Amino acid sequence: MTQEYQIEIPEEALEQTDFRPGDRLALSVNHNQIDVRPSRVIDQLPQIAFWWYALPAAVATLVFYAFFRERNIVRPIPLTGSDYSLANGAMILGVISGLILFITTFIVEKVRKNGPTKDFYWRSLPPLAIACGLIMIFSFSAIFWLLGQMFTDASFDLYTTTVFAFVIIAAVNYLMINLAMTLTSGVVTNLLTIMIIGGMLFSMLTNSSRDWWKHNFSFLGTAENSASLQFNVTLIFSGLLMMTLVDYLFVNLQKRYRGRRVLALRLLLYMLSACIASIGIFPNDPQFHVLHDRVAMWLVYIMLILIVLIRWILPEVTRQFLILSYVMGALMGLEYIVFKLSDYLSLTAFELLEFGLAFSWLLLLLQNIENLARFGHNLFLVKIAPVKAEDK
């Protein structure tokens, strides 16, 4: 006869779930951890009714159709490469419709105190919405550029184009509603990564000078580059998005870890976020050159201060993360020495290497804080006990 065991769940923990006594739950074992969740997979997914995303998509599609009809554009409509193309129409209406639904869903979830959205501050909504909008624009541009390369000179009649527009806008609407209902610190970290990397790659690919790399990394944000607006806007809202993420993480982190050290970590991360945004606000143009350099140096100083002090200001810091931090700090210092004392590294190569190391370490730091925030205040001690024969 197989021995059975029972786990007593504290009432405080049960109150943070939708479980009720007598519910049938599914148990899975994953990497020596026990996960308990609803028995039906569908109960674990956001419940999004079809009309929530299809009806707004239908309205946007009617606008799309009426726009082309009103201008009497009935000839084959190109996939890309024209002001009046499927790419431009779907991108404009998809971004507008998706953002409206994201904001609406965020507000509804926040007011109802449903899901992870309830832990975000109201002030988090503007940077989150703008970041999502920028990421959608980058994604649309990249996807339709690729489709334009695969299907050169492809075009469709108005009715077929309208159907394609409806499918694209409906898909975007669904993704944005789902995003607002499942927004967590991990999701915001991914948004931050996509926004920074995607925005910079987009600026590199669309800039007016193919020889930008012969100047420096900051050249992408100067007036000499036609894509400077995208680069600077990416930095500004990456800084705001990072502030939002820090805000969210420390709300939960400070429920368990308090004191001046945690406050110092929070303030340093706020300052780092402000420096990232300020580099976009003050590009490396002649009128802002000195201020741009000062902000960039403060960014480096704050990173070094964080690496040096991380042993004392990050709660429960692991030995592995400490070693990794010091190794990355040493590599950044070594690169600086090599750059200053030799011609081995160009200015652009030095800046890109420093950015890669700093950004990688920053993501690891945020991941460590996220783990502490997620498990710190939601950690409950339970006991596994065998079920006695008389209790069966």
Side-chain angles (χ1 to χ4, degrees):
M1 183 176 177
T2 305
Q3 176 65 58
E4 295 182 359
Y5 296 86
Q6 64 181 10
I7 300 176
E8 294 184 358
I9 301 177
E11 184 178 357
E12 184 182 355
L14 192 62
E15 289 174 352
Q16 297 185 28
T17 71
D18 294 326
F19 301 157
R20 295 293 179 267
D23 285 353
R24 294 182 61 85
L25 305 175
L27 182 147
S28 62
V29 179
N30 184 24
H31 298 296
N32 295 325
Q33 295 182 355
I34 294 177
D35 294 326
V36 179
R37 58 190 67 202
S39 57
R40 295 197 310 161
V41 175
I42 193 171
D43 292 336
Q44 304 170 34
L45 304 175
Q47 302 302 305
I48 305 175
F50 175 75
W51 66 269
W52 290 1
Y53 56 91
L55 185 59
V59 173
T61 305
L62 286 175
V63 173
F64 179 91
Y65 178 82
F67 175 85
F68 281 90
R69 265 299 180 187
E70 190 270 335
R71 283 163 176 72
N72 200 29
I73 303 174
V74 293
R75 65 181 184 277
I77 299 170
L79 175 64
T80 60
S82 168
D83 291 338
Y84 301 107
S85 64
L86 172 61
N88 286 335
M91 180 175 70
I92 293 170
L93 292 172
V95 170
I96 293 173
S97 178
L99 277 181
I100 291 173
L101 289 175
F102 175 83
I103 293 169
T104 303
T105 306
F106 183 99
I107 293 172
V108 170
E109 292 287 292
K110 179 74 174 171
V111 170
R112 292 180 177 177
K113 297 183 179 180
N114 289 335
T117 305
K118 66 179 183 293
D119 293 325
F120 283 90
Y121 289 119
W122 284 110
R123 62 176 176 264
S124 302
L125 180 55
L128 283 171
I130 294 171
C132 289
L134 291 173
I135 289 172
M136 281 194 286
I137 292 172
F138 298 151
S139 302
F140 267 110
S141 300
I143 292 170
F144 276 108
W145 176 84
L146 180 60
L147 290 175
Q149 300 299 310
M150 294 172 61
F151 306 103
T152 307
D153 299 328
S155 60
F156 312 95
D157 62 83
L158 178 56
Y159 301 104
T160 304
T161 304
T162 303
V163 172
F164 282 150
F166 172 78
V167 173
I168 293 168
I169 296 171
V172 171
N173 288 348
Y174 179 86
L175 290 174
M176 297 308 292
I177 294 173
N178 185 80
L179 178 63
M181 296 178 72
T182 58
L183 203 59
T184 62
S185 55
V187 172
V188 178
T189 303
N190 291 336
L191 288 177
L192 178 64
T193 305
I194 294 170
M195 188 169 176
I196 291 179
I197 302 300
M200 289 183 178
L201 288 176
F202 186 77
S203 299
M204 292 177 190
L205 292 172
T206 59
N207 73 86
S208 55
S209 174
R210 298 302 174 190
D211 295 330
W212 67 268
W213 54 272
K214 294 181 180 179
H215 301 273
N216 53 52
F217 192 48
S218 296
F219 177 82
L220 292 173
T222 63
E224 298 179 47
N225 176 27
S226 61
S228 60
L229 180 62
Q230 295 95 310
F231 183 81
N232 293 327
V233 167
T234 295
L235 288 175
I236 292 169
F237 287 102
S238 293
L240 292 176
L241 192 60
M242 184 173 162
M243 285 186 183
T244 298
L245 178 60
V246 172
D247 233 10
Y248 174 81
L249 289 174
F250 278 83
V251 167
N252 293 323
L253 185 69
Q254 290 184 317
K255 290 179 181 178
R256 181 177 181 185
Y257 304 100
R258 299 178 181 274
R260 294 180 180 178
R261 295 180 180 181
V262 174
L263 179 60
L265 176 60
R266 185 174 190 172
L267 292 176
L268 285 170
L269 289 174
Y270 278 145
M271 292 169 64
L272 195 66
S273 306
C275 286
I276 294 173
S278 298
I279 289 174
I281 296 172
F282 306 108
N284 196 21
D285 289 322
Q287 64 268 37
F288 297 124
H289 174 72
V290 174
L291 185 56
H292 177 89
D293 282 355
R294 293 287 185 275
V295 173
M297 288 308 300
W298 269 108
L299 182 66
V300 175
Y301 295 152
I302 294 170
M303 285 292 303
L304 293 176
I305 291 171
L306 275 169
I307 290 174
V308 171
L309 297 182
I310 200 65
R311 174 191 292 272
W312 296 280
I313 60 178
L314 179 64
E316 301 186 28
V317 60
T318 63
R319 183 172 178 271
Q320 291 84 351
F321 184 64
L322 274 178
I323 294 173
L324 182 63
S325 299
Y326 295 148
V327 168
M328 284 194 166
L331 286 175
M332 291 170 67
L334 180 62
E335 283 178 12
Y336 179 78
I337 294 172
V338 172
F339 170 71
K340 283 294 185 181
L341 300 182
S342 72
D343 296 327
Y344 183 73
L345 290 175
S346 67
L347 177 57
T348 304
F350 166 72
E351 289 179 333
L352 287 174
L353 286 171
E354 291 287 291
F355 166 77
L357 286 171
F359 187 62
S360 300
W361 181 82
L362 181 60
L363 288 179
L364 290 173
L365 173 61
L366 292 173
Q367 186 180 56
N368 273 269
I369 297 174
E370 179 188 348
N371 290 334
L372 288 172
R374 188 181 355 157
F375 298 117
H377 74 284
N378 286 330
L379 200 62
F380 301 93
L381 296 179
V382 298
K383 181 180 180 181
I384 299 178
V387 177
K388 298 178 182 179
E390 59 268 22
D391 294 334
K392 295 184 180 180

